[in-house]
Amino acid sequence: NLLQALQARPDDPSWRLMDVGMSVQMRPLQTDDVRRLIEWPMRNHLEYTPEVVTQIATLSGGSPFLIQAICHNLVLHMARQQRQQVTAEELEVVRQEFMQPHDHTFAHMTEMLKGITNHVAGTIARLAAQTGDQVVNSSQVRAALPNVAPESLGVSLRMLVERDILVQPAAEQWRFASLLFQQWLAING
């Protein structure tokens, strides 16, 4: 492991390599950019129906990382099937692959969920799975988390919205930006 080797030798000049680059938080993409990111890279190899593009956008919440993860798995799946036309059924097979507890796709998202925020996110994911429209309101959240102080709950909800994990379609209502992450967290969280 490179990091362990470097930690054993703090004077190693390789440490300078760790300072190259900077962390950038990517915001969710707009609809046209989502479509381009889905279709353009494999334009000569795969064909996506408008419905499948919409489903990928909903599953990913416009997250460039999740779009790439879904499309990568779709490319592999379609190559195994030796087909070019991506259908809703093909996408469902790939979506199911992400639901495994050992899947590390969401590691970067779960690392942001510390302490009570982790509990809040998991609870909202499970509540959203029970509603048809995936939207959870404040009374549902408060009823499901009676032992969480209102101030702590408010801080957690604001942080989840600021980090683009939740979106707020209306006052006192929340849903996950990524349906895929919500479904994974409801099962594995």
Side-chain angles (χ1 to χ4, degrees):
N1 178 322
L2 176 62
L3 185 57
Q4 289 173 340
L6 287 173
Q7 287 173 336
R9 298 182 305 166
D11 295 333
D12 189 314
S14 299
W15 270 109
R16 289 192 300 265
L17 295 175
M18 302 300 249
D19 293 327
V20 175
M22 63 182 195
S23 177
V24 176
Q25 182 179 350
M26 295 288 296
R27 301 298 312 241
L29 300 176
Q30 299 299 316
T31 305
D32 288 344
D33 296 323
V34 167
R35 184 181 46 74
R36 256 190 310 281
L37 184 56
I38 293 167
E39 295 175 336
W40 187 253
M42 296 302 294
R43 65 192 171 282
N44 296 322
H45 304 285
L46 293 180
E47 300 168 17
Y48 297 91
T49 65
E51 294 79 20
V52 169
V53 171
T54 299
Q55 288 176 320
I56 294 171
T58 300
L59 286 170
S60 68
S63 162
F65 173 77
L66 291 179
I67 292 168
Q68 291 288 41
I70 292 167
C71 288
H72 172 78
N73 286 9
L74 268 173
V75 167
L76 296 175
H77 175 76
M78 298 305 290
R80 286 190 301 268
Q81 301 301 312
Q82 297 182 340
R83 290 203 297 260
Q84 290 182 305
Q85 180 68 43
V86 180
T87 65
E89 292 78 20
E90 306 293 345
L91 180 58
E92 177 57 21
V93 169
V94 168
R95 186 195 70 77
Q96 286 293 329
E97 292 172 4
F98 283 101
M99 295 299 111
Q100 304 306 313
H102 62 273
D103 188 276
H104 297 290
T105 304
F106 305 107
H108 70 288
M109 297 171 96
T110 57
E111 287 174 7
M112 290 189 276
L113 305 177
K114 304 288 185 208
I116 193 69
T117 304
N118 184 35
H119 186 53
V120 170
T123 299
I124 293 174
R126 288 183 290 283
L127 289 170
Q130 298 169 4
T131 68
D133 61 0
Q134 308 296 318
V135 175
V136 176
N137 65 45
S138 59
S139 62
Q140 291 171 299
V141 175
R142 283 194 303 273
L145 297 168
N147 297 325
V148 175
E151 302 79 30
S152 297
L153 182 58
V155 168
S156 291
L157 289 168
R158 279 190 297 282
M159 192 275 298
L160 290 165
V161 170
E162 288 168 4
R163 301 234 173 121
D164 297 311
I165 292 174
L166 295 180
V167 294
Q168 212 169 356
E172 301 298 312
Q173 292 184 343
W174 299 271
R175 69 172 175 75
F176 275 79
S178 164
L179 181 59
L180 191 65
F181 181 51
Q182 180 264 309
Q183 292 171 342
W184 182 87
L185 194 58
I187 294 169
N188 299 296

